[in-house]
Each structure stands twice: as structure tokens, then as C-alpha cells.
Amino acid sequence: MADTTVRIDGNTLRLPGGVAVRFIRTLRLPETGTHPLPPGLGEFPVRRIADYADRVPEEWRARGGVMLPVYLREAMWLSFAGTSEPAALQVGVGKVCAVSGRPWSDRPTRGPQNYVVLPRQPWLDGINSGTGTVRQFVAVPLGMGATVEGQVTGEEVWGGVQLQSFALNDRELGRWRAEERERAERASSMPPPSGYGAPMPGSPPVAAAGGFGAAMPMAAPPASGGYGAPMPMAAPPAPGAVPAPSAPGSAPAPAAAGGPASPRRAAAAMGLGAGGSMRQEVYRDDRPLSDWSEKPAGRVFVHLVTPPEWRRITGEAAPPSPVDRAAYTRAGLPWFDYFDQDAEDLAPTDALQSVKPVGDWLGDDHEPWQPPTPGQTQQLKDAPGRPVADGDW
């Protein structure tokens, strides 16, 4: 029987079948206009619900999964860097599909597509609500109707984020692995390049480029920079913060040094609403639906916790709120555009196009917008525009 266990590796969720998901803190965009992709401001800390069973609400224990702390109106994106094999990943926001706007399903579907294709989709910054654009994931409390869940279903019951992955069926997975082995063998048998542009003697080897599953430019560890890396201005933990457990699965920290654990109580529940619009495509699957397994490889419920509740439950201080926009722009830190010329964008559905931004519910943002300066936006992967073929002169 296949292992369906989801595991935590640092702050990375690893679902069976090689799927890796990280939750990245980021700069919140204004709700007018369309913008480049903002970079990461570091990872959200992720902890297992089971490690704090005596301090979380009973319904959280029933749902299991993990939790992470978010501030009101804080923005996030999901990074899939490090995913090692093809997968169809469903992403739910309050059990509403972030890709199709349909209710949560126990299997991948088409018409509309209700999943992202990994590792072709390197990240997801928001709900698929526009042609070639998404609206940013922004944290809001349940009970106001501001979440995507509340606007699409008319009620707010679940909140949080839901992830469910499907691997290729046995036949297609065997075929894909055989093709990857052949590609690796061909690459290893190729003579090393020589002449202008060849590696100098003693230089480190260059990673093989191209191919389905090749590492994206942003897929390096966070410290290496690029889209998804923590930015230099990410502040240190607040003074007096209690250190996090040293490793996943270690004993939870006490709520207060030398004091008893806080009693279990109802916690302030958070969900995801829609923020500003940015240029990002959600890619159409070019495989037949029959290539995917009908049963999920693994699934996990991600609870969103307010910083005070996070401190009460875990004994840790939540990360500081993201840097303000003016300081970010003054630092000259990069924005990003990403374009894959071989992929096709999914059209948005009516359900997600009609979702109103959180500002319609919470009021205007009083912090002035600081647009990126010329040259501050970096192009990743393919250059935009259709390639021009050359011929005989």
C-alpha cells in the first residue's frame, strides 16, 4: 500500500510523490492596477497540529494537518520549488478551488481544470481570476464574508488552505522515469563543451538545463537569492521571542517559561481573501486526465493562526509583519516577471472573476503605494513575446 503520509522538512511540506510546498511571506499589492510578481520576504514557520493537541480547538485536532501564523491583510504565495516528479496539486482556500472556483473535490477534473501541474507551475500567488493574472492571497478573519470561501459559497466554515496531490498512474510514472533516465544518460555521455563559454578548469559543474522537471531559476535554497528568497530587510524575531522547536516533531515549547500550558479554547480563525492583481499564468495541463491517478497521493489541511494565538499555542513569537512598501522600493529590491512560451494559460472562471478584493470589506489601505523603479523588474525563464524563426539569407 502506498504511503500517503505528509511530512514537514523544516518549513517545507512534502506530500507523497515528490511534491514540495513552502508558504512565502511577501509584499501586499495595491488593489488597483496589475503588477509584477513581488519577491519573498522569508518563509512562514509551519508546525504540526498534533504537537499542540492540548492547546488548539477540538475542530483543529479533528482536521489535523499543520498551522502557520499570519497577520491581518498579510500576503503570501505558495512555492513548489523542489518538486521532484510530475504531480497534479489541488489548492483550496476554505475548500474552494483556487484554480477553478468550484467546491473541493476528491479527484482531479477538467472543464474547468481544478489543479496546478507540477513542476511546470513553479508557484501560485493567488486565485485564478483574470486572463494571465491572479489576485493575491491575503489573510482575513472569518465571519466578515471577505474570504474567497465566503464570497463563493455564501458561508465561512473552513478557512485555511487545503492541499491534495495526485501522482501519475503507474504506467505513466514508469514511462516518465524511463525517459528521465535516458535523458540523464544522454547528458552524461555528451562530451564537455569546449571553446568560448566552456567552464574553466577547476570550476564547479554546471547543472543540466531543460527538460520537464528541471530546476527553475528560483528553485535554489532561500539564502541564494532570487524570487522566493528572503529579502535583506526581513527583520529578526522580536526581542524576547521564545525559540522554535529545534526540529520537526520535537517537543513543543511551553507557553511561558516555567508555566503551565494555556488551556484549550476557541481560536480566531483566518482564511484567504483576494488582494491585488499580478501578472501570472496558471498553466493548462497538456496531459490526458487519464494519466493521473484517481486516488490522492496525500493531502493536508493548513490552519491559519493569528500572531497572538500562535504565541499562546506554540510559545513562539510570530515573524514580524512585512516591511513597508516605501522601504522596500528604496532598497532597490527586485520584482519579477515569469513567462513560459511552451505553456498555455487557463481561462478564469466566473466564480473567481467575481470575487471582490479585501479592501471592499476592510476599507482602504492607508499606506501609499511605491511602484518599482525602471529596471527593477527581472525577467525569469522565457522572454515574453512569440519567437521569430530565421531562414536562408
Side-chain angles (χ1 to χ4, degrees):
M1 183 174 179
D3 182 13
T4 59
T5 305
V6 177
R7 303 183 185 279
I8 296 182
D9 179 7
N11 293 321
T12 300
L13 286 178
R14 297 199 181 277
L15 283 70
V19 173
V21 182
R22 291 183 299 141
F23 297 86
I24 309 297
R25 309 177 73 226
T26 192
L27 190 68
R28 184 163 48 86
L29 299 175
E31 294 173 1
T32 56
T34 300
H35 306 274
L37 301 172
L41 300 173
E43 301 172 349
F44 286 93
V46 180
R47 302 288 180 262
R48 300 192 317 157
I49 290 294
D51 288 335
Y52 305 91
D54 61 336
R55 306 180 199 177
V56 299
E58 186 174 345
E59 62 268 26
W60 291 19
R61 291 190 295 126
R63 294 170 186 171
V66 298
M67 60 183 171
L68 59 84
V70 288
Y71 291 85
L72 175 66
R73 277 187 165 179
E74 185 170 14
M76 71 165 61
W77 55 270
L78 277 59
S79 169
F80 310 128
T83 296
S84 59
E85 292 189 334
L89 180 69
Q90 294 175 327
V91 179
V93 286
K95 295 191 72 172
V96 172
C97 178
V99 176
S100 70
R102 299 289 178 87
W104 188 251
S105 171
D106 62 357
R107 63 181 56 194
T109 62
R110 299 277 177 83
Q113 181 177 311
N114 69 347
Y115 57 92
V116 292
V117 184
L118 307 186
R120 161 153 273 175
Q121 188 83 38
W123 50 66
L124 186 66
D125 286 62
I127 61 171
N128 181 33
S129 58
T131 302
T133 63
V134 301
R135 294 197 75 96
Q136 193 173 39
F137 292 134
V138 176
V140 288
L142 301 188
M144 299 179 59
T147 62
V148 175
E149 175 187 5
Q151 295 187 59
V152 172
T153 70
E155 55 183 2
E156 294 177 318
V157 176
W158 300 99
V161 177
Q162 298 76 40
L163 303 171
Q164 184 165 251
S165 65
F166 294 80
L168 291 172
N169 61 41
D170 292 343
R171 181 190 68 253
E172 292 302 321
L173 183 57
R175 180 181 301 172
W176 180 85
R177 287 173 174 172
E179 291 173 351
E180 289 297 295
R181 284 194 298 270
E182 292 174 3
R183 182 179 292 113
E185 290 169 359
R186 287 196 302 269
S188 63
S189 64
M190 294 288 290
S194 60
Y196 183 70
M200 299 300 291
S203 62
V206 179
F212 183 67
M216 295 297 184
M218 81 300 293
S224 63
Y227 185 64
M231 293 291 110
M233 88 296 286
V242 177
S246 59
S250 60
S262 299
R264 187 185 303 126
R265 66 184 187 190
M270 300 282 281
L272 291 180
S277 177
M278 68 189 80
R279 294 188 289 274
Q280 183 179 84
E281 294 181 329
V282 179
Y283 296 131
R284 184 182 303 277
D285 188 6
D286 55 10
R287 289 180 174 273
L289 190 60
S290 58
D291 281 6
W292 300 107
S293 173
E294 294 185 355
K295 294 183 178 180
R299 68 174 197 161
V300 61
F301 197 110
V302 182
H303 303 263
L304 305 181
V305 186
T306 64
E309 286 297 299
W310 176 264
R311 181 65 179 262
R312 181 188 66 81
I313 293 170
T314 68
E316 304 173 37
S321 56
V323 69
D324 69 88
R325 297 166 177 172
Y328 178 90
T329 300
R330 286 196 303 270
L333 295 165
W335 295 71
F336 299 90
D337 273 328
Y338 183 87
F339 177 67
D340 187 336
Q341 64 186 16
D342 298 321
E344 183 179 356
D345 182 40
L346 278 176
T349 61
D350 292 340
L352 294 182
Q353 279 186 306
S354 61
V355 170
K356 297 178 181 179
V358 297
D360 287 9
W361 305 81
L362 303 179
D364 293 337
D365 187 351
H366 300 295
E367 185 177 303
W369 173 241
Q370 296 287 327
T373 58
Q376 202 172 350
T377 301
Q378 299 180 10
Q379 178 65 45
L380 298 178
K381 204 175 189 299
D382 301 324
R386 299 174 61 86
V388 178
D390 195 10
D392 294 332
W393 288 59

